[in-house]
Amino acid sequence: AQTVTQSQPEMSVQEAETVTLSCTYDTSESDYYLFWYKQPPSRQMILVIRQEAYKQQNATENRFSVNFQKAAKSFSLKISDSQLGDAAMYFCACLDSNYQLIWGAGTKLIIKP
Amino acid sequence: DGGITQSPKYLFRKEGQNVTLSCEQNLNHDAMYWYRQDPGQGLRLIYYSQIVNDFQKGDIAEGYSVSREKKESFPLTVTSAQKNPTAFYLCASSPLRLPSTDTQYFGPGTRLTVL
């Protein structure tokens, strides 16, 4: 069975600094997709970034980028120039062959002004 | 505006009652999903549907039921058989068609509390 592990229940970063959130996963699929979602206090789940496993190039979306290490099954999220609006729960997820998302437990990100 | 709507935002239920949570999307997405989220945990899949009049159980389907009579709608009924229904419920949809077959988009959620 697929599993997704986020080992950091909580992280904090100074505003304008850079922070990295960790995620590891386990899958037997040869082709799969990985996602980072953000859940602010409103609880709306918002897609941050996605990565196709067959692509070696790391995905980037403005201040958000990933470090995808396929052999190590690691998929970390880097947030540059952190802003107060980045404060949220961040969830890592892996899509299986049945189009089902397997979720990590989440990391709470605190931004210090 | 295109998107996914869920109603109500907050729902209270007495023990022994069935309640139905609404989820509607106007994104023309083929697939729809229901998740449950408990405090300090990730999302767990309850049911999903990839086509009208067909749906499959997820990891925690016991005590829940769904229907998919229309492409746009995927209501979730929480029955009295669900022993611990107090939770936050999220509905999602995905296109299952290129180019973004893999990405799920979420509604704002419904907070269900059993009194």
Side-chain angles (χ1 to χ4, degrees):
Chain A
Q2 287 183 317
T3 58
V4 175
T5 302
Q6 293 178 249
S7 59
Q8 307 153 317
E10 186 175 296
M11 290 283 286
S12 63
V13 63
Q14 205 71 35
E15 191 178 3
E17 298 293 311
T18 296
V19 64
T20 298
L21 308 184
S22 301
C23 173
T24 58
Y25 61 93
D26 188 17
T27 180
S28 57
E29 306 282 347
S30 57
D31 191 18
Y32 50 92
Y33 295 86
L34 296 162
F35 301 85
W36 278 98
Y37 280 88
K38 167 185 177 180
Q39 189 178 39
S42 68
R43 306 200 74 174
Q44 174 91 47
M45 197 68 79
I46 302 165
L47 176 68
V48 175
I49 200 165
R50 62 189 279 274
Q51 173 82 42
E52 294 113 330
Y54 65 86
K55 287 187 177 180
Q56 294 186 346
Q57 186 174 7
N58 290 325
T60 62
E61 287 288 344
N62 301 314
R63 297 183 295 107
F64 298 87
S65 61
V66 299
N67 183 5
F68 175 47
Q69 302 289 329
K70 191 172 184 178
K73 295 185 177 178
S74 171
F75 182 60
S76 60
L77 175 70
K78 186 172 83 171
I79 305 173
S80 303
D81 185 25
S82 298
Q83 301 176 1
L84 294 177
D86 295 334
M89 286 290 293
Y90 285 81
F91 292 93
C92 177
C94 181
L95 191 76
D96 71 11
S97 57
N98 292 319
Y99 293 100
Q100 294 187 45
L101 278 172
I102 310 300
W103 296 81
T107 296
K108 182 178 181 180
L109 179 62
I110 298 168
I111 309 296
K112 298 178 182 177
Chain B
D1 285 350
I4 304 171
T5 57
Q6 290 185 243
S7 61
K9 187 172 182 178
Y10 299 97
L11 185 58
F12 297 89
R13 186 195 96 175
K14 292 183 179 179
E15 282 194 27
Q17 288 182 335
N18 293 356
V19 289
T20 298
L21 283 59
S22 169
C23 178
E24 305 276 334
Q25 54 99 0
N26 60 5
L27 301 168
N28 198 32
H29 285 175
D30 296 297
M32 297 186 74
Y33 310 80
W34 273 106
Y35 292 94
R36 170 181 172 140
Q37 186 179 28
D38 292 286
Q41 297 187 29
L43 278 64
R44 292 183 291 168
L45 183 66
I46 305 172
Y47 269 99
Y48 67 102
S49 167
Q50 296 184 342
I51 194 170
V52 173
N53 292 323
D54 188 44
F55 46 83
Q56 285 77 41
K57 293 181 179 179
D59 299 323
I60 55 166
E62 186 176 351
Y64 299 97
S65 66
V66 293
S67 62
R68 187 88 187 274
E69 297 177 1
K70 298 186 299 182
K71 187 176 184 179
E72 304 79 27
S73 178
F74 191 41
L76 173 73
T77 297
V78 185
T79 74
S80 57
Q82 169 51 235
K83 298 305 180 187
N84 185 21
T86 294
F88 187 64
Y89 292 87
L90 283 160
C91 178
S93 69
S94 65
L96 292 190
R97 298 179 193 275
L98 296 172
S100 299
T101 59
D102 50 285
T103 303
Q104 294 183 18
Y105 300 89
F106 286 80
T110 293
R111 173 69 183 176
L112 173 63
T113 302
V114 174
L115 303 173

